Amino acid sequence: EKLYQCCSGSSDLETFFSSINNSLKEFVKFDFLALFNWKPIPEVFELEVLVPKSQNNLFPKDFQILAKEVPFFEAFKSKKTYVEQDLQWGSLNSTFKELTSKLGIHSYLTISLVNNGETEALLFLGSQRPFGFGEKDVKVMETVSPHLAFLSQNTLKFSEQKSNYENLNRGLEKLLQSEKLRVMTEVTSELVHDFNNILANILGRAQISLQKLENSTLPEKETLSKNLRLIEKASLQGSNLLSRLSQLA
């Protein structure tokens, strides 16, 4: 339930995983949470989110880890959880060593995030303590991982839709400054002018009828007068509205 609450208030993956960080820590003890997108070509894990954010300056935005460099690659392909309890940096190569050594990670847990049968991302939990993860932690993460996969995909889609919406708005703003706006303004002005003439005609007829009615002895004089006053009032309100529309155009 907490995961879904976090998702509802998140507009991007970084916000989402920052939100669930504390919720997960109620059940699993860890120091770092990282989300890696899986790139089948050329078989790399690309860092998408790192929590806490204060560590982001340690790595470039497009930081990648080669799949062949990590011991959990086979587990990832098999959609299985992988746990390393006593990490020895000396046995590692290149970028994965850089990641774990800079963060001071001595044990970690990885789990595949699967959507529609396809493994799309890797969730990485790191601890600065050796033997930081037990069977209970594995069971918790295996239980929540399908929800995390679903929610992260939804958050990503929302983020993309938001970006598309913002791009659309920027396009519309440019359109409002284009030649089409000038044409629309001219058409609006012409319509306002024509409707004003119609309303002026209605208003004039109503006012003339009111003057003639004053000297009338018709039994329905009071009702007719009231109706003509309403026509007069509506015509004046319509004229006022058209004037505002003209100023807007």
Side-chain angles (χ1 to χ4, degrees), residues 96 137 200 205 212:
F96 186 59
D137 301 318
R205 296 297 178 93
K212 290 182 178 180

Side-chain angles (χ1 to χ4, degrees), residues 166-177:
E166 290 172 350
N167 290 336
L168 178 61
N169 272 345
R170 283 192 288 269
L172 288 175
E173 287 174 6
K174 291 180 181 179
L175 178 62
L176 291 176
Q177 299 169 4

Side-chain angles (χ1 to χ4, degrees), residues 183-221:
V183 174
M184 289 173 63
T185 302
E186 289 179 357
V187 171
T188 303
S189 297
E190 290 175 5
L191 288 173
V192 167
H193 176 73
D194 290 343
F195 273 110
N196 249 332
N197 286 341
I198 295 170
L199 287 175
N201 194 14
I202 294 172
L203 180 61
R205 296 297 178 93
Q207 289 173 339
I208 292 171
S209 297
L210 277 169
Q211 289 174 2
K212 290 182 178 180
L213 196 59
E214 286 180 3
N215 302 321
S216 171
T217 58
L218 293 171
E220 63 271 19
K221 175 180 176 180

